[in-house]
Amino acid sequence: MPTPEELQQRRLEREVSARKQAEKLLEEKSLELFIEAQERRAALDQLKESEERYRVIVETSPDAILVIQDDRLAFFNGAARRMLASAAAPPQPDAGLEQFNLLADAARADRHPGQPVETSALKTDGSTIEVALSSVPIVFDRQPARQIVLRDISDRKRLERQLAFQATHDPLTGVANRAALLEQLDDTLAYARRHGVPVWVGFLDLDHFKQINDRFGHRAGDRLLETVTSRLRALLRKDDIIGRYGGDEFVLVMRGGAADALGPTLLDRIMAAVCQPVDFDGYALAVTCSLGIAGYPEDADDGQLLLERADAAMYRAKESGRNLCQLYNDEIHARIVERTKIESALAQAIERNEFFVLYQPQIDARDGTVVGAEALLRWRHSELGVLTPDRFLQFAEQSALINRIGAWVLAQACSACASWHAAGHRPLRIAVNLSVRQLNGIELIKLVDDALQATGLPAACLELELTESMVMSDAELALDTLGALHQRGVQVAIDDFGTGYSNFAYLNRLPLNCLKIDKQFVSDIEQPGGAIVTHALIQLAHSLGLTVVAEGVETAAQLRVLREQGCDQIQGWLHSKAMSAQEFLGMLRHYEPSSWMSEVSARKMSA
C-alpha cells in the first residue's frame, strides 16, 4: 500500500499532466485561430485587390460599363459618363436603365447571352447614340448584380449606311440606281395591286447628250445630269420614285390614287422642267428630252415589262423628232411584237437561206451607161414577208450576227459582180454597205481580202459605202482601216451625205473616192431653193476630187437638174428598180444607154 507521500506525488503528477495537456490544446486552438485569422485577412486582401483590379480595368475600358443592382444604377465607369452624359446632365444613380431607354434591350440581351444587341441609347441631353449592348451577371459588393457593357458603334453603322446607300443609289445624282429602282418598282406594284391604284412608269432620255459631252466635256454632262435630277425631285411627289437607269436615261415611277388619271398637265410640267437651259461656266446648255410612258394595269402588270414598254414609247418619241412625250399604244405594241419575231428568227435566217441580195443599177448621168450596182440586202421572213434592212439590221448590230450577215452579203455581191465580168460586162463596180460594227480594222480588211480572193474580183471594182455618222463615231479607226483598204485598191464612198454630223477636216483626210447624195435632197430638188443644196454638195465633192452619185432619182426633171449641176452618176427608180443578179445580167445584155436616154428625154418633153 502506497504511502501518503507517494499518493500525493501521484496526484501532483496527474495534475501536471492534465495542465500540460490543457496548455497543448490551448496552443493548438490558438494556432488554428491565428491561421484562420490570417487566411481570413488574406481572403479579404485578395477580395479587396480583386475589386481594385476590377475597378481599374473597368475605369480604363473604352466601353461604357454600368452595374445594375436592385434595378438601380450602382456603378458606371468614366467611359459611360463620357458616352451617355455630360457635366450638365450626369446619370441619375437612383434611376436604372430606363433613363437611357435600354431596359427592354438589356432584357433581350439577358435572354441571349453572348449575342450583343444593337440599339440606340438615349443620352441624358436627349440625343441618341448607336451602341452594341451585352449583359452578364456578376457579384458587386458581395451582392448579385448585372454588368451592362455598351460599345459605341456609331462609326460602323454610319459606314454601313454609306455602303448601303452606295449599293442602291447612283453616286452622281443620288437617286436610285437600276437594281434599287427595279426593287422599288416591284414594291410599288405590289402596293398598287393590294389597293387598286394605278402606277405610271416614265422612261426619260436626254436628247443629244453625247454631243454635250463631246463639246463641253464630261464635267458639263455631270452638271446637266445633276440639274435634271434636282428639277425632277422638286416637281414630283415624295412618294414618287426617280431612278437613273444608265447614262442619260432616267426612270420615273408615279403612283396615283384610286380615281387618278395621268393628265397631260403633269407630263407637260415634266417636259418643261427638264427642257430648261442649264448654266455651265457661262454657257447655257440647251436641253431637250424624249419621254415614254407606260401604265399599270392597262399596259402591263409586271415591273420589267412596264419598263420595256415605257422604253419602247420613248424610242418612238425619238423617232418622231425628239423633244416629245409618247404614251404606249397599240401601234408601239405591234412594233414590239414584230421586233420579237424578228429577233427570234434572225439567228437562223442565214441557215434557212432567207436572206437575198438585190442589185440597183448605177448609171452615168451623162450618157446613161451602167457603171455599177449597189447591193441591197433583203430578208424573206416567213411571217412578215420581205423586210428591208431598216427593219432588222439594227437588231443584228446589237450582236455578233452583223458580222456574219455582212460577210455573207459581201461574198454574194463580189460573186455577182465577178459573174457579170465573166459574161463580158467589164469593168462594172459593186457597192456594198458596211455597218458601224464592221468598221473594226483587221477583221474588215481580212474579210475584204477573203471575198476578193475567193471570187477573183479586182479590188478596184469593189466599193464600200459608209455613212458619215459611222466615220465620225471613231474617225481615227476609220482613217487607219480605210487607208489600208485604199492601198489595196478598194473604193470608198460616203453614203447619205449631208444627213449626219460631219467633220470636214477628217473628211478631207479620208481616202474617199465617191460621195453619195441622200435621196431626201434629190426629192426636194424641184422645190424652191432645193437645188441649192444639191449644187453645193456636188461642188464640195468635186473640189475634193470625188465622184458624185445621187440616190433616189425618180423623175426626168430631177435627172435634168442633176446633169446641169454636174452630177456624175445616179441611181433610182427612174432607171430601174433593184433586181436579182440574174435579172441584172439580163438587163445588161439587152440594155442600150442611148435608147434609155432618149426615152427619158421623151418623158421630160411629155411632162
Side-chain angles (χ1 to χ4, degrees):
M1 184 173 189
T3 61
E5 289 82 5
E6 289 176 342
L7 291 173
Q8 180 66 27
Q9 182 65 35
R10 291 177 181 175
R11 189 167 51 253
L12 289 173
E13 289 175 353
R14 286 195 297 272
E15 289 177 357
V16 170
S17 176
R19 189 166 51 253
K20 287 182 178 180
Q21 290 179 357
E23 289 175 353
K24 184 179 180 181
L25 288 173
L26 182 61
E27 283 182 12
E28 291 176 351
K29 191 64 176 176
S30 296
L31 181 59
E32 288 178 2
L33 292 173
F34 176 77
I35 291 173
E36 183 180 349
Q38 289 295 101
E39 290 176 346
R40 187 180 300 112
R41 177 172 294 177
L44 289 173
D45 290 344
Q46 186 177 2
L47 178 61
K48 183 177 181 181
E49 182 181 350
S50 176
E51 289 178 349
E52 288 298 325
R53 189 182 303 114
Y54 171 79
R55 290 181 183 274
V56 169
I57 292 173
V58 166
E59 284 297 340
T60 57
S61 171
D63 296 331
I65 298 177
L66 313 173
V67 176
I68 304 300
Q69 202 168 53
D70 296 329
D71 297 327
R72 295 175 60 253
L73 183 60
F75 170 82
F76 54 89
N77 67 350
R81 186 180 298 105
R82 291 188 295 272
M83 181 185 295
L84 301 172
S86 63
Q92 299 299 315
D94 291 337
L97 290 175
E98 61 271 16
Q99 67 180 307
F100 308 116
N101 198 28
L102 293 175
L103 197 58
D105 296 309
R108 187 151 52 102
D110 287 337
R111 292 194 296 271
H112 303 283
Q115 298 182 15
V117 174
E118 294 188 356
T119 184
S120 293
L122 179 66
K123 300 171 69 169
T124 57
D125 63 1
S127 61
T128 59
I129 183 173
E130 292 177 299
V131 296
L133 181 152
S134 58
S135 174
V136 293
I138 63 170
V139 174
F140 185 79
D141 284 345
R142 305 177 189 176
Q143 298 295 324
R146 275 193 303 165
Q147 176 179 274
I148 306 298
V149 179
L150 304 177
R151 176 160 294 171
D152 185 353
I153 59 173
S154 301
D155 290 340
R156 175 168 67 80
K157 299 299 284 186
R158 183 165 49 252
L159 179 60
E160 287 177 356
R161 284 191 292 270
Q162 289 175 353
L163 292 175
F165 184 88
Q166 292 171 5
T168 57
H169 290 74
D170 173 56
L172 176 65
T173 62
V175 298
N177 61 17
R178 182 182 297 198
L181 172 70
L182 293 173
E183 184 176 343
Q184 292 176 33
L185 176 55
D186 288 340
D187 292 342
T188 301
L189 289 176
Y191 176 91
R193 293 185 191 101
R194 288 195 304 270
H195 298 86
V197 297
V199 174
W200 299 283
V201 174
F203 209 105
L204 188 150
D205 181 270
L206 300 180
D207 299 328
H208 307 299
F209 180 73
K210 183 178 183 301
Q211 293 183 14
I212 292 177
N213 271 336
D214 291 343
R215 181 179 177 186
F216 297 98
H218 288 279
R219 195 164 59 90
D222 289 348
R223 171 73 63 82
L224 179 58
L225 293 172
E226 291 169 335
T227 303
V228 168
T229 301
S230 64
R231 290 173 180 176
L232 291 172
R233 276 176 165 158
L235 178 65
L236 299 180
R237 299 170 304 181
K238 185 177 180 180
D239 291 340
D240 295 331
I241 300 168
I242 305 173
R244 187 180 175 194
Y245 202 69
D248 60 333
E249 296 174 333
F250 292 86
V251 170
L252 316 177
V253 180
M254 299 162 284
R255 192 177 72 198
D260 283 356
L262 185 65
T265 303
L266 176 59
L267 300 180
D268 290 343
R269 288 170 60 199
I270 293 174
M271 296 291 290
V274 173
C275 300
Q276 294 291 323
V278 174
D279 179 70
F280 176 74
D281 291 350
Y283 292 96
L285 303 179
V287 186
T288 63
C289 69
S290 300
L291 176 63
I293 301 289
Y296 164 85
E298 63 272 15
D299 296 325
D301 61 358
D302 173 78
Q304 187 62 48
L305 193 55
L306 269 175
L307 275 173
E308 291 174 2
R309 295 187 169 177
D311 186 25
M314 182 273 293
Y315 272 104
R316 182 57 179 157
K318 280 190 175 295
E319 292 171 356
S320 300
R322 303 177 188 267
N323 196 20
L324 295 170
C325 177
Q326 173 68 58
L327 301 180
Y328 186 80
N329 55 34
D330 292 340
E331 178 192 351
I332 297 173
H333 181 72
R335 290 162 65 95
I336 291 177
V337 172
E338 177 181 301
R339 173 177 177 170
T340 303
K341 291 179 179 178
I342 289 174
E343 288 180 326
S344 62
L346 192 56
Q348 290 78 38
I350 294 179
E351 287 76 7
R352 293 173 180 171
N353 294 318
E354 294 176 348
F355 286 127
F356 62 99
V357 179
L358 298 179
Y359 302 90
Q360 185 166 48
Q362 294 177 333
I363 310 301
D364 189 308
R366 292 163 296 187
D367 59 16
T369 304
V370 177
V371 294
E374 179 178 359
L376 302 174
L377 175 64
R378 297 292 184 266
W379 179 13
R380 188 176 287 105
H381 192 281
S382 58
E383 294 183 46
L384 302 174
V386 176
L387 305 180
T388 54
D390 60 298
R391 293 179 66 183
F392 65 85
L393 214 56
Q394 57 181 315
F395 308 123
E397 287 178 342
Q398 295 168 7
S399 67
L401 284 175
I402 189 60
N403 294 323
R404 292 181 59 201
I405 295 172
W408 182 86
V409 172
L410 182 62
Q412 293 290 312
C414 289
S415 177
C417 191
S419 70
W420 300 333
H421 286 186
H425 302 285
R426 291 178 180 270
L428 292 177
R429 182 188 66 249
I430 187 68
V432 180
N433 291 279
L434 293 180
S435 75
V436 65
R437 289 193 61 168
Q438 287 180 280
L439 192 63
N440 54 10
I442 296 175
E443 291 184 19
L444 176 60
I445 295 170
K446 184 178 184 305
L447 187 67
V448 170
D449 287 342
D450 291 346
L452 294 177
Q453 183 177 1
T455 60
L457 184 71
C461 294
L462 173 62
E463 180 178 270
L464 300 178
E465 294 188 2
L466 307 94
T467 63
E468 56 183 317
S469 57
M470 285 171 53
V471 174
M472 291 306 116
S473 65
D474 194 338
E476 293 299 329
L477 176 61
L479 282 171
D480 293 339
T481 304
L482 299 181
L485 292 170
H486 179 73
Q487 289 178 357
R488 286 163 166 77
V490 175
Q491 307 290 294
V492 179
I494 290 292
D495 194 13
D496 300 337
F497 187 77
T499 62
Y501 172 71
S502 295
N503 184 317
F504 288 105
Y506 275 113
L507 193 64
N508 192 35
R509 292 169 57 192
L510 289 171
L512 300 178
N513 304 96
C514 177
L515 182 150
K516 300 189 74 173
I517 300 176
D518 188 70
K519 61 183 179 181
Q520 75 179 56
F521 299 118
V522 174
S523 64
D524 293 337
I525 203 169
E526 298 177 76
Q527 304 299 321
I532 296 175
V533 176
T534 55
H535 183 262
L537 294 175
I538 292 170
Q539 293 301 310
L540 171 64
H542 284 167
S543 67
L544 296 173
L546 306 179
T547 300
V548 180
V549 179
E551 297 181 296
V553 179
E554 298 181 354
T555 69
Q558 292 171 350
L559 174 60
R560 177 185 57 79
V561 175
L562 290 167
R563 291 183 67 186
E564 290 173 354
Q565 293 179 344
C567 181
D568 302 299
Q569 299 168 15
I570 65 156
Q571 69 180 80
W573 280 41
L574 175 64
H575 182 273
S576 62
K577 65 178 182 179
M579 60 193 79
S580 69
Q582 285 300 317
E583 290 172 329
F584 193 93
L585 182 57
M587 180 271 298
L588 290 174
R589 286 172 177 162
H590 302 96
Y591 179 68
E592 290 291 341
S594 58
S595 297
W596 179 78
M597 293 294 289
S598 298
E599 180 186 343
V600 171
S601 298
R603 291 188 212 171
K604 181 178 65 175
M605 294 297 293
S606 62

